[in-house]
Amino acid sequence: MAKDKSIFTCTECGGTSARWMGKCPGCNAWNTLIEASAEPAAGKNRFGSVHASLAPTSEVLPLAQIEAADFERHPTGIDELDRVLGGGMVEGGVVLIGGDPGIGKSTLLLQAVDALQRSGMNTLYVTGEESGAQVAMRSRRLGLPDSQVPVLPEIQLEKILHTLQSRQPGIAIIDSIQTVYSDQLTSAPGSVAQVRECAAHLTRTAKSTGTTIVLVGHVTKEGALAGPRVLEHMVDTVLYFEGDTHSNFRLIRAIKNRFGAVNEIGVFAMTEKGLKGVSNPSAIFLSQHAEPVPGSCVMVTLEGTRPLLVEIQALVDSGGPSPRRLSVGLDRDRLAMLLAVLHRHAGVACMDQDVFVNAVGGVRISEPAADLAVMLAITSSLRGKALPKGFLAFGEVGLAGEVRPAPRGQDRLKEAAKLGFTAAIIPKANAPKSPIQGMTVHGVDRIEEAMSLIRSLT
Ligand code: TYD
Ligand code: MG
């Protein structure tokens, strides 16, 4: 049971509690509270020596008298990365970059930091996961055998902070934050308390010295940055790597950015020589069928500023007594809801069927504008009838069966027309005022309308 001065930290939300409880008071998750001592080990001054001299006393000023300076940005020269960052690395900014193991976090950061070093910036690459030799091997593979990036293989926080103080780099990469530990804390290395404390110290150092710090974080099977989701609110920018490690394409998405737009994406291809930006990515998530096949419907999703065409695939197959509903890249709860709407409002019943849906290419679609394409793909698979060639659909579908507009419908349609699509079913409110050349656009208000239209088209 709880000893004196113990606190309990939630592995999900990072919330704390003074006593053990079955349910986290912060996020209501069960059995996520673990004991972590909040106190430093007895007799030690917790980083006092490092930070005491760095704490300036700030003056209180009215807003109007504070100069609204723009942030000093350092573009990495990797366009797709700069785009998600909002124009480049920001002085004193802290970036958290998460993703599955092997997706390319270390590769991208080594490319970025090498480019910054070559542009004359003082950099530092702290590696806790790999040895210096392994990082050197990667740099050779990337075609950078002459790289001058200083590498520090180290996992102890105090030593890292000391190096940051003495070298004062413009940017430092910490690969990864989960390997960093402080022996000033009694909790185990890798525990939530350790990761959070270490990240907090690094963040403070970034703010006081103006060094940009990039923290690499691992993602658990559930898709959350392992344990310390709490890091997300501590840092300025959170980037996630997405994509299927089996395909070559990788997406980086900004899910939080104090210095730029969120939901902006960068698209890369993993090549033999590292990650290369894909400047015109709109068609990479389409699988190439020679002829249309049942269960496939293309949609246009709008990620950040760029429209992307993504193929939604569905397979409806007779299931057992408790049929399965599985989705990859799309929300499963939303799938259940769409199946109910299909049944109730369009008379399409999948009650005794297994339903699988997939967004091709490992891309994740969170916007509801995918609804119409998902429903059309499901219906197409159920009936065994392919949708017409060059066809696409998008639009949100509500519980009452209404089809709601998607933001920036015109941009989506124009991108599809550019890629040779010839027919579309979209929300009526998105229907273009003047016709789009080469494309027949059907605007619908309700899901029933979309279903009867598709019957007449196939
Ligand atoms: P890595 O950056 O080590 O992933 P992370 O740090 O996210 O765990 O990426 C490793 C994968 O990328 C690995 O499977 C090898 C592959 N790769 C290439 O295909 N080309 C390259 O030039 C490099 C450096 C790695
Ligand atoms: Mg790595």
Side-chain angles (χ1 to χ4, degrees), residues 100-107 138 141-142 270-274:
D100 292 330
I103 200 151
K105 302 181 292 296
S106 306
T107 304
R138 183 177 292 119
R141 184 164 177 191
L142 293 171
M270 179 62 95
T271 68
E272 262 313 296
K273 285 198 155 191

Side-chain angles (χ1 to χ4, degrees), residues 292-296 314 316 376-387 458:
V293 291
S296 156
V316 180
L376 289 173
I378 290 171
T379 319
S380 158
S381 172
L382 184 70
R383 297 207 182 108
K385 278 204 169 138
L387 295 168
T458 53

